[in-house]
Amino acid sequence: MKRLLPAGRRGWVALGVVACLAVAGIGWALWPSKEKAIPLRLVTGTIQADLLTPDSVSKLARTTLVSGPRSNQPHAPITVSPSDCAVAVGPSTESVYGHAWSAFVSATYQDTGGTGAYTVNQVIGVFPDREKAGAAFKTLTSGLTRCPSSTRTDQAGRTSKWDYTADPASQVAVAWTATQRGGGGWACYHQARLKGMSLLQVTICEAGDGQLVTSKLADALSGKVSG
């Protein structure tokens, strides 16, 4: 069930992991060392229990994934050029979720080799009321319309250019894709859903077409989150 890339491509992917995680809204320092899996502890009654497990995600994605970095709060906004792209580059950061949330979880699953060749990120942010959740969703959708492309510089000084394509947003859902220029098809596929007092997101980053699987995962996650 594990997907394999050509040796040269695997090397390129390993170098591109940091840029990929930035576009997915995942913190730099949280990416674990190669082949280091982080056990996922799901406690009944918490939003962590609403997350799809690595096994269930692996079945839907048809590849083997293990638990990776997690966070219980949004990361700080990501510095990017132009500045209007802060939401598109960091959709799960404070640029979207702000400080008004009452509970938050972000969990990333990775390929078993730890190369970043395939990553899945789930985010659930719970707000005190529907109005605040709706405001965060509006911040996300309006931010996506302001950013057709961006340039991101990682901590090592490497730059990467990304293009963003968003589908028309409904009142409760939006899907968009971040594609790396010159990346040989490398892209991050995003879906966000507004459900009651929660704003949830699913992201898949891979060198392939991840739209269909992202949609399936977003449907499955939304089905677990109470309205």
Side-chain angles (χ1 to χ4, degrees):
M1 192 161 76
K2 181 180 177 181
R3 296 180 181 179
L4 296 177
L5 297 176
R9 192 57 177 277
R10 288 198 299 270
W12 181 88
V13 167
L15 291 175
V17 168
V18 170
C20 157
L21 295 179
V23 174
I26 305 165
W28 311 100
L30 293 182
W31 188 251
S33 60
K34 184 176 180 180
E35 298 181 351
K36 180 182 179 182
I38 300 175
L40 183 66
R41 297 179 176 85
L42 304 181
V43 180
T44 302
T46 66
I47 61 170
Q48 286 80 3
D50 288 334
L51 292 171
L52 302 174
T53 65
D55 285 345
S56 61
V57 172
S58 294
K59 289 177 181 178
L60 286 171
R62 296 186 178 182
T63 188
T64 303
L65 302 169
V66 295
S67 183
R70 300 185 302 277
S71 177
N72 61 2
Q73 63 182 31
H75 296 292
I78 295 173
T79 301
V80 65
S81 178
S83 58
D84 282 348
C85 288
V87 164
V89 175
S92 64
T93 68
E94 291 177 357
S95 294
V96 170
Y97 287 87
H99 301 278
W101 50 272
S102 54
F104 182 91
V105 63
S106 172
T108 300
Y109 303 156
Q110 60 185 354
D111 57 283
T112 54
T115 64
Y118 194 95
T119 64
V120 176
N121 181 240
Q122 301 175 77
V123 176
I124 304 173
V126 182
F127 292 83
D129 52 50
R130 293 173 181 265
E131 288 72 22
K132 288 184 173 60
F137 182 71
K138 185 176 181 180
T139 296
L140 173 62
T141 56
S142 62
L144 292 174
T145 64
R146 295 196 298 268
C147 182
S149 61
S150 74
T151 299
R152 174 66 181 142
T153 303
D154 67 23
Q155 290 181 325
R158 297 182 296 250
T159 60
S160 58
K161 296 182 181 296
W162 296 79
D163 296 314
Y164 305 91
T165 304
D167 296 338
S170 72
Q171 292 184 333
V172 294
V174 64
W176 71 102
T177 303
T179 305
Q180 186 175 8
R181 293 186 194 176
W186 187 259
C188 292
Y189 302 88
H190 302 260
Q191 289 214 12
R193 305 285 177 86
L194 177 64
K195 188 171 183 181
M197 296 185 294
S198 299
L199 175 57
L200 58 95
Q201 297 185 49
V202 170
T203 299
I204 290 178
C205 294
E206 67 162 319
D209 188 351
Q211 287 184 330
L212 179 59
V213 177
T214 305
S215 181
K216 290 181 178 179
L217 292 176
D219 287 343
L221 182 60
S222 181
K224 293 190 67 177
V225 175
S226 59

